[in-house]
């Protein structure tokens, strides 16, 4: 398909570069023999590219059909296993017990994660509060120093 695209681009280039014939309403003069040669090349290239495209579609269809067969086999096996498991009540009871254990474990881990997240947030907020308090204290000291400097200054700017 790449070759056909290149040939079509070549035709487009020829058409764009064609000189307009005066008094013809925008019609252009092109070398028809050159265009026909390119069309012949396109026609020669198309059958191989069409075959290649058909092969790709056929491969795709074959892959899909094979995947469907495999899926059907997997489903059959799963249904057979399901029947075996239902018939074996001990396995079912064990599965329920394991599921309950997993659920309890997840609940405990979730509670731990929430507790850790709350502690983390509290710690970050405490540090932020301390930093803001420190900055506010520094700001107040600076303001106080400025006021003191203004009161004791000579009234001239020392800039």
């Amino acid at each position: 398909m790449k070759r056909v695209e290149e040939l079509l681009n070549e035709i487009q280039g020829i058409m764009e570069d064609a000189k307009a014939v005066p008094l013809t309403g925008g019609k252009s003069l092109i070398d028809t023999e050159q265009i026909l040669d390119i069309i012949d090349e396109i026609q020669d290239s198309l059958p191989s590219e069409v075959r290649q495209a058909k092969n790709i579609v056929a491969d795709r269809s074959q892959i899909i059909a094979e995947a469907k067969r495999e899926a059907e086999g997997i489903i059959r096996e799963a249904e057979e296993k399901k029947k075996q498991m239902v018939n074996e009540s001990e396995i079912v009871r064990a599965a329920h017990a394991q599921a309950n254990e997993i659920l309890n474990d997840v609940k405990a881990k979730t509670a731990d994660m929430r507790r850790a997240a709350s502690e983390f947030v509290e710690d970050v907020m405490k540090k932020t509060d301390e930093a803001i308090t420190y900055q506010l204290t520094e700001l107040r000291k600076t303001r106080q120093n400025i006021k003191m400097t203004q009161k004791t200054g000579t009234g001239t700017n020392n800039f």
Side-chain angles (χ1 to χ4, degrees), residues 138-156:
E138 289 300 310
L139 177 67
R140 287 180 178 155
K141 286 179 187 177
T142 302
R143 285 183 64 207
Q144 189 64 29
N145 287 339
I146 291 171
K147 283 182 184 179
M148 293 299 283
T149 303
Q150 288 174 347
K151 285 181 185 177
T152 61
T154 59
T156 59

Side-chain angles (χ1 to χ4, degrees), residues 17-79:
D17 294 340
K19 303 275 189 254
V21 177
L23 304 172
T24 62
K27 295 185 180 183
S28 300
L29 185 63
I30 59 168
D31 182 357
T32 55
E33 191 169 316
Q34 185 181 9
I35 298 292
L36 289 173
D37 287 343
I38 294 171
I39 290 172
D40 285 342
E41 284 186 58
I42 290 172
Q43 288 173 337
D44 290 343
S45 297
L46 277 178
S48 67
E49 292 183 4
V50 170
R51 274 193 306 277
Q52 186 179 19
K54 285 181 182 178
N55 289 338
I56 290 170
V57 170
D59 289 346
R60 179 181 166 268
S61 297
Q62 182 180 355
I63 290 169
I64 290 172
E66 188 175 320
K68 283 182 181 178
R69 283 192 298 274
E70 282 184 38
E72 288 169 358
I74 290 170
I75 290 170
R76 277 194 301 276
E77 285 180 30
E79 287 174 353

Side-chain angles (χ1 to χ4, degrees), residues 104-119:
N104 290 335
D105 188 40
V106 167
K107 286 179 182 178
K109 286 181 181 177
T110 300
D112 289 344
M113 288 173 67
R114 283 186 180 153
R115 195 170 22 263
S118 292
E119 290 172 4

